[in-house]
Amino acid sequence: MGVETSLIVPTRNRADILRLSIPRFQDQTVARERYEIVIVDDASDDYTAAVVEENAAPNIVYRRNETQKAAAYARNRAIEAASGKLLLFVDDDALVRPDFIEQHLATHEQAPGLVVSGPIVECSKPPAERNPPAGWMLGRHSNPFATGNASIARETIVRAGMFDEDFGTYGWEDSEMYRRLVKTGVKRRYNWRAPIYHYKPETVRRSFFDRIRLEQKRGAMGALYYAKHPIFGVAFETKQLGLFRWLDGVVDGAIGLSARLEKAIESGDEPGSALMRLLLVLHTEIDVGRRTWEELGAEKRRAMQAETIARVIAA
């Protein structure tokens, strides 16, 4: 029968977590010869390669980027290395049930041209049982193409132009990909019986300043996303909407968000107020997005939109 499904797993510096996730990817109700696990290591400087070697099996494909390139590039390299007709995207910290692949395959058998997503259950400890519970509302989300738990035909991804490697850091590459997938005629299907347990141990929880750095990246990539798809929905998603910018400006003028953030970064002391931390996080994303949008300029933004339209081969 050959390989039907390719699990696409980008990773960077998650060796300890891969020790938990890879055995679960291997322990599936679907026979191993029917699927493969394609791991693309985005220039890890820990012992990721050694962990993959510990779990070596005929159905594991390992590739390594010599320099860090971010998720869009890593996923594209994994797609190029994949031999399955169905691509099943997961993160390296996804802990899955034994019937995970089986559930995705069963949903695709119902109708052609689907993008299938499943629940994402946040957890700070690995589930004690091998077959943890699934439920209709457990881990439910509205993201149509959450690449932590989503599957689609390989040919559809290729026809939509693959992931956009302009997204060179964290944020929005999966949402932008879905905008192009829709133009190929895909239909969304949600399978609550195919959850992943998204394992984030307390030891790797982000600090306030980690969150600020993340929002700087998200804001910049949000401006790129909006430039490529300049529509209301994307402006709302990425907080590039004029109303959000105006409100941020009003609050910044009233209580000095920019000055407070600069002082916190210089001192290393995070604000004591949870509300102030939230306001600074939101301000960071909106402000960086606005500045990136302006730096791109109208001519560059028009060119990016045209290039995005040209990527998709219509159904």
Side-chain angles (χ1 to χ4, degrees), residues 7 9 11 14-28 37 39 47-48 51-52 54-55 91-97 123-130 197-204:
L7 268 71
V9 189
T11 189
R14 296 282 187 85
D16 287 337
I17 293 178
L18 283 172
R19 277 206 170 106
L20 298 174
S21 60
I22 292 176
R24 287 170 169 81
F25 296 150
Q26 292 176 316
D27 180 22
Q28 293 291 301
I37 305 161
I39 300 170
Y47 46 96
T48 290
V51 170
V52 175
E54 288 171 11
N55 292 276
D91 289 333
D92 51 12
D93 50 9
L95 305 182
V96 301
R97 289 158 43 110
C123 63
S124 59
K125 294 181 180 179
E129 58 270 65
R130 179 64 190 92
Y197 280 73
H198 192 210
Y199 175 47
K200 296 289 186 185
E202 292 293 342
T203 54
V204 298

Side-chain angles (χ1 to χ4, degrees), residues 182-201:
V182 167
K183 296 181 187 300
T184 71
V186 299
K187 303 297 182 184
R188 184 188 176 196
R189 195 68 59 87
Y190 187 83
N191 184 349
W192 62 265
R193 294 180 177 85
I196 66 107
Y197 280 73
H198 192 210
Y199 175 47
K200 296 289 186 185

Side-chain angles (χ1 to χ4, degrees), residues 29-309:
T29 54
V30 172
R32 285 195 182 187
E33 59 268 20
R34 293 179 59 195
Y35 73 97
E36 63 183 0
I37 305 161
V38 184
I39 300 170
V40 173
D41 178 355
D42 197 19
S44 294
D45 52 24
D46 64 357
Y47 46 96
T48 290
V51 170
V52 175
E53 181 61 29
E54 288 171 11
N55 292 276
N59 69 336
I60 289 186
V61 179
Y62 175 70
R63 299 286 186 272
R64 174 181 163 81
N65 300 332
E66 292 307 315
T67 57
Q68 186 179 358
K69 298 288 189 179
Y73 181 94
R75 290 194 182 104
N76 280 349
R77 302 295 79 76
I79 293 167
E80 291 169 355
S83 53
K85 291 183 179 180
L86 183 70
L87 304 177
L88 176 44
F89 294 92
V90 292
D91 289 333
D92 51 12
D93 50 9
L95 305 182
V96 301
R97 289 158 43 110
D99 65 346
F100 178 66
I101 297 175
E102 180 183 342
Q103 286 292 338
H104 272 269
L105 282 169
T107 308
H108 281 278
E109 288 169 0
Q110 295 173 11
L114 297 179
V115 54
V116 177
S117 60
I120 298 175
V121 184
E122 301 294 336
C123 63
S124 59
K125 294 181 180 179
E129 58 270 65
R130 179 64 190 92
N131 201 19
W136 185 67
M137 289 302 295
L138 185 66
R140 197 171 186 88
H141 61 86
S142 59
N143 187 337
F145 192 57
T147 46
N149 185 1
S151 59
I152 192 167
R154 185 183 190 278
E155 64 176 0
T156 307
I157 285 277
V158 172
R159 185 160 18 108
M162 308 270 279
F163 286 88
D164 189 336
E165 294 176 19
D166 284 351
F167 291 84
T169 188
Y170 174 82
W172 302 113
E173 77 285 341
D174 47 1
S175 297
E176 192 281 330
M177 177 82 252
Y178 183 71
R179 293 280 175 183
R180 286 182 282 116
L181 286 170
V182 167
K183 296 181 187 300
T184 71
V186 299
K187 303 297 182 184
R188 184 188 176 196
R189 195 68 59 87
Y190 187 83
N191 184 349
W192 62 265
R193 294 180 177 85
I196 66 107
Y197 280 73
H198 192 210
Y199 175 47
K200 296 289 186 185
E202 292 293 342
T203 54
V204 298
R205 295 283 171 173
R206 294 188 180 98
S207 70
F208 168 73
F209 295 107
D210 288 337
R211 183 67 188 274
I212 291 297
R213 285 187 285 271
L214 195 71
E215 295 307 316
Q216 290 171 338
K217 296 174 182 178
R218 193 202 306 268
M221 294 300 99
L224 260 65
Y225 179 21
Y226 185 35
K228 292 169 183 287
H229 302 269
I231 58 176
F232 176 84
V234 175
F236 186 86
E237 247 186 303
T238 60
K239 304 182 184 67
Q240 294 291 309
L241 205 62
L243 176 62
F244 293 149
R245 293 176 179 175
W246 178 78
L247 287 170
D248 179 67
V250 169
V251 178
D252 188 19
I255 62 175
L257 291 175
S258 296
R260 287 171 182 265
L261 179 60
E262 184 177 352
K263 182 179 179 181
I265 292 172
E266 286 178 356
S267 67
D269 296 326
E270 68 177 62
S273 163
L275 176 59
M276 181 55 64
R277 291 196 298 272
L278 174 62
L279 289 173
L280 292 176
V281 163
L282 293 171
H283 171 68
T284 299
E285 181 183 6
I286 294 169
D287 186 54
V288 172
R290 174 188 57 78
R291 287 188 280 111
T292 304
W293 175 263
E294 292 171 354
E295 289 166 6
L296 286 171
E299 184 176 350
K300 176 65 173 175
R301 294 196 300 263
R302 283 193 295 270
M304 293 172 73
Q305 183 186 8
E307 289 167 5
T308 299
I309 292 170

